[in-house]
Amino acid sequence: MINTSAVATHDESAQAAKNYTEAEMLTVMSSRVLEDGKVVFAGVGIPLLAATLAQMQRCPGLTILFEGGVIGPFIEPGKLPPSTNEQRCTKRANMVVSSTDVLLLLQRGHVDIGFMSGAQIDKYGNLNSSFLGDDPSNPKVRLPGTGGGNDISSLTNMIVAMKHEPRRFVEKVDFITSPGFLSGGTSRYDSGLRAGGMFRVITNLGIFGFDDATRAMKVLALHEGVSLEEVQDNTGFDLLYDEGGIDVTKAPTEQELQALRELDPDRRYIG
Amino acid sequence: MQDSPYLNLRQRLSKRDRSLREKVMTLEEASALVHDGSHVGVGGSTLSRTPMAMIWQLIRDNKKDLSVYRSIVSSEGDWLFASGICKHIETSWFSQGIVWGISKVMRHYVETKKASFQEWSHLGMGMRFRAGAMGVPFMPMRSMIGSDVVSLRPETKTIDCPFTNEPLLLVPALNPDVALIHVQRCDAYGNAQIDGLPFMDIELAMAADSVILTTERIVSNDQIRRAPDQTKIGFFNVDAVVEVPFGCAPHECTNVYEPFLSHMDYYTGSVNKDPVGAMNEYIDQYIRGPESWNEYLALLGLEEVLDAAKRGRSLLND
């Protein structure tokens, strides 16, 4: 369990002064994880917004790929595509290819980072977007499925952006749609997945990585005013952390928020 | 000899008339080429270049027991399940679109076991069409391994590569009986040009035993021959050509129209609230009711058609 005495307590004045939504926070924090010169395979919604924001703010040499088969598109502020398989995604792109070929770029190793939203994640970074309930042949809820999620998480270093809630952060997902580190340790490699793995999980509460040996989720940083206790209370498994080794992120800047709001003026994704 | 699966695969193609011949027909005539129990590959992906008019016609003709294969399935999957013409869909993702959440129609039919949705990864679907297009029984790939997606797919095999000794997943070829593909333009022989994202359509066409093209417009063979590098599906591989302007409505066709968003909002709003009753009403009113595809478009409304067309030209504007 987490020793809460070691970390800052909840700062109510900071909370009250927030001039951004949770989704804006999530997007800005996600964008900061991306690096210039890299190739990122982005899903629709927060990943696309965050990648575009990173491109505008710090990473002019960041290349974005979409599942539909789009390489290096130009995202028009206010005209975000509703999915990554539509003509709007191809606006002023450098190249379009078949959707099989764009995924083969991942398999060949042309892509550094995969970046998706998550619905349910577990301790080892496995993601579920297929079934809720114990028995896939008799599911409580049939979810839409993997799409490219399984391929992206099998073949790249993954960043996942998601809302931090106990029902979303579970000990073990009902179904591994997109593999993280499976059952931890070397199990991912041993299963035959040679490349990639879960790199970062970004939530409205903090930034998380995975322990090098056990591959269990670990707290790397908390957002301003968020306590370790609050994070643990919103997580369905025990989080790892280094005593005294948890950073505090810097709040989104006015400049970041302004750019983000120009990208999504109808606030379809930023709340 | 007779038992060779490979020779059977070739023989199904050799029955085709591959000559450079006109094959323009109506939706009704093309529908007659789709037999009950067929395995049907559907072109496009999600809301893009979906051959909606052809699927609409198959429903009106009360086809039975179709199995459908597509990279990503959107609202046409609701139509297929709810109309009763299809009880089995293999795809990587199935709902109307991310902005509309989870399809309650899909959920109803799958959770009550009235129909099955068999899940493959997106690359898995692509490699299956590719194997089918190449005339080989499987393709190796490196995703799906280790996940529960593969544990639900006994059709796959994991092997140690005979060259490197590393694990590989083998996925079986897909060779649909018929492929339904919508394109921006083709000639009367079926030489087709595709603008924008090709998705998995070229391999789907090569993999299938027969191909029905619906097209925004039919152009001359001369126009095709002026730019043969733009021909993505060849005449020898096509069995029917049907000219259906706005044949993907309410989905999109690159550079011609974007999705009919108001109609999609209306449709998803009503069927996700009442996946049986409202869906049946939709089928009666919009699919079985109209006299023709143009009458279906009229039901969607002129405003909606013009708005989708205006947005459709946006990529061409600087």
Side-chain angles (χ1 to χ4, degrees):
Chain A
M1 281 306 292
I2 277 170
N3 177 358
T4 49
S5 65
V7 297
T9 51
H10 194 84
D11 181 346
E12 291 192 356
S13 61
Q15 192 79 0
K18 276 182 190 171
N19 60 340
Y20 44 83
T21 65
E22 277 189 353
E24 285 177 331
M25 157 79 106
L26 194 51
T27 310
V28 168
M29 294 302 165
S30 302
S31 84
R32 290 182 186 168
V33 179
L34 298 169
E35 292 170 36
D36 200 16
K38 299 283 189 187
V39 179
V40 58
F41 198 100
V44 78
I46 284 175
L48 164 61
L49 264 176
T52 309
L53 181 65
Q55 230 175 17
M56 293 166 67
Q57 299 276 309
R58 298 178 296 109
C59 312
L62 182 75
T63 298
I64 300 173
L65 265 58
F66 291 139
E67 180 181 270
V70 187
I71 297 164
F74 173 80
I75 301 303
E76 273 185 296
K79 291 188 177 169
L80 294 163
S83 87
T84 53
N85 290 281
E86 279 158 77
Q87 73 161 23
R88 219 177 268 190
C89 298
T90 67
K91 179 103 185 180
R92 289 175 61 198
N94 287 280
M95 186 180 187
V96 298
V97 298
S98 82
S99 32
T100 307
D101 286 334
V102 81
L103 289 166
L104 290 176
L105 294 177
L106 309 184
Q107 184 166 288
R108 174 63 181 87
H110 287 288
V111 179
D112 303 293
I113 297 283
F115 190 0
M116 295 194 316
S117 301
Q120 190 188 48
I121 193 167
D122 69 18
K123 188 174 171 176
Y124 297 113
N126 302 302
L127 294 162
N128 177 20
S129 58
S130 300
F131 302 93
L132 296 182
D134 297 333
D135 178 9
S137 64
N138 197 16
K140 262 189 250 163
V141 180
R142 183 49 159 121
L143 301 172
T146 152
N150 174 285
D151 306 309
I152 300 164
S153 66
S154 296
L155 300 168
T156 66
N157 295 312
M158 276 280 288
I159 301 173
V160 175
M162 58 190 286
K163 200 170 159 59
H164 209 128
E165 295 172 344
R167 66 185 184 97
R168 295 177 182 275
F169 281 68
V170 297
E171 176 79 31
K172 195 173 184 310
V173 287
D174 292 337
F175 185 90
I176 301 178
T177 307
S178 301
F181 293 109
L182 299 178
S183 54
T186 60
S187 59
R188 178 180 167 106
Y189 186 92
D190 298 342
S191 77
L193 292 172
R194 288 294 186 258
M198 207 38 84
F199 173 59
R200 290 287 181 269
V201 179
I202 320 288
T203 79
N204 48 306
L205 300 181
I207 297 176
F208 305 83
F210 292 84
D211 182 76
D212 288 343
T214 65
R215 297 304 196 178
M217 198 184 291
K218 182 174 173 176
V219 184
L220 298 182
L222 298 176
H223 303 323
E224 255 181 6
V226 175
S227 70
L228 194 48
E229 190 178 17
E230 186 182 354
V231 174
Q232 184 61 73
D233 285 348
N234 282 286
T235 306
F237 52 88
D238 290 347
L239 285 161
L240 302 177
Y241 65 99
D242 291 332
E243 200 84 32
I246 301 176
D247 289 333
V248 178
T249 62
K250 285 201 186 72
T253 65
E254 275 310 312
Q255 199 198 14
E256 285 169 322
L257 290 170
Q258 197 188 332
L260 184 55
R261 288 164 189 168
E262 279 167 22
L263 277 174
D264 187 14
D266 303 328
R267 309 192 70 87
R268 280 168 64 200
Y269 301 104
I270 60 179
Chain B
M1 278 287 277
Q2 247 82 17
D3 291 340
S4 161
Y6 177 51
L7 288 183
N8 288 339
L9 181 72
R10 292 181 62 122
Q11 192 160 24
R12 298 205 298 271
L13 277 195
S14 66
K15 288 180 189 152
R16 208 179 212 171
D17 177 355
R18 293 160 168 157
S19 61
L20 188 71
R21 64 190 168 91
E22 287 203 9
K23 50 197 75 150
V24 177
M25 58 184 82
T26 62
L27 279 175
E28 291 84 346
E29 287 164 338
S31 169
L33 303 177
V34 181
H35 307 294
D36 291 345
S38 285
H39 296 259
V40 181
V42 174
S45 190
T46 328
L47 291 167
S48 294
R49 274 194 311 96
T50 313
M52 289 304 252
M54 198 62 236
I55 291 169
W56 179 87
Q57 186 64 46
L58 297 179
I59 294 169
R60 292 158 66 87
D61 292 339
N62 299 309
K63 299 294 175 186
K64 289 185 183 64
D65 295 322
L66 302 181
S67 297
V68 165
Y69 307 83
R70 192 181 192 212
S71 56
I72 291 178
V73 168
S74 172
S75 58
E76 81 286 358
D78 298 345
W79 292 18
L80 287 161
F81 276 175
S83 66
I85 69 167
C86 164
K87 294 188 174 66
H88 181 81
I89 291 181
E90 297 190 23
T91 187
S92 70
W93 198 89
F94 184 168
S95 270
Q96 293 118 0
I98 287 172
V99 288
W100 298 292
I102 307 174
S103 166
K104 292 283 169 42
V105 180
M106 176 280 283
R107 280 193 58 190
H108 170 76
Y109 282 90
V110 175
E111 290 169 18
T112 59
K113 300 191 170 62
K114 292 189 175 85
S116 72
F117 155 24
Q118 201 180 87
E119 183 172 336
W120 295 77
S121 82
H122 202 212
L123 183 59
M125 290 301 293
M127 295 310 266
R128 296 185 70 196
F129 286 131
R130 182 160 289 185
M134 291 170 69
V136 295
F138 64 85
M139 282 294 282
M141 57 182 281
R142 296 182 190 274
S143 58
M144 279 172 66
I145 293 173
S147 70
D148 290 331
V149 177
V150 89
S151 61
L152 288 189
R153 294 279 66 81
E155 306 88 340
T156 64
K157 286 194 192 322
T158 305
I159 61 153
D160 290 328
C161 168
F163 298 98
T164 66
N165 221 25
E166 289 199 301
L168 286 172
L169 185 76
L170 310 184
V171 294
L174 266 175
N175 289 103
D177 297 309
V178 57
L180 315 178
I181 298 173
H182 186 86
V183 300
Q184 282 85 1
R185 70 198 82 81
C186 69
D187 67 12
Y189 308 133
N191 289 303
Q193 297 181 346
I194 295 175
D195 296 338
L197 296 166
F199 303 109
M200 300 176 182
D201 291 12
I202 296 161
E203 284 154 329
L204 166 61
M206 295 290 282
D209 290 341
S210 64
V211 174
I212 297 173
L213 289 183
T214 53
T215 180
E216 289 297 318
R217 60 193 178 102
I218 293 175
V219 299
S220 72
N221 181 247
D222 282 341
Q223 187 169 333
I224 292 293
R225 287 177 190 263
R226 275 197 289 272
D229 56 316
Q230 296 304 307
T231 305
K232 302 292 166 58
I233 297 170
F235 70 93
F236 57 89
N237 198 21
V238 172
D239 302 273
V241 168
V242 189
E243 191 175 49
V244 197
F246 292 92
C248 302
H251 293 183
E252 76 167 25
C253 182
T254 293
N255 291 348
V256 191
Y257 44 95
E258 280 200 343
F260 291 48
L261 291 172
S262 309
H263 185 77
M264 286 301 295
D265 285 341
Y266 154 75
Y267 165 82
T268 53
S270 67
V271 302
N272 288 344
K273 221 173 281 160
D274 179 10
V276 178
M279 192 66 227
N280 286 338
E281 273 171 40
Y282 186 90
I283 290 174
D284 287 343
Q285 189 185 345
Y286 286 92
I287 302 182
R288 298 194 191 278
E291 289 283 311
S292 64
W293 180 252
N294 285 352
E295 202 170 288
Y296 170 76
L297 295 175
L299 284 177
L300 299 187
L302 183 60
E303 287 277 336
E304 185 82 350
V305 173
L306 293 176
D307 173 59
K310 184 180 175 205
R311 285 182 284 115
R313 294 188 291 271
S314 63
L315 293 189
L316 306 171
N317 301 334
D318 272 332

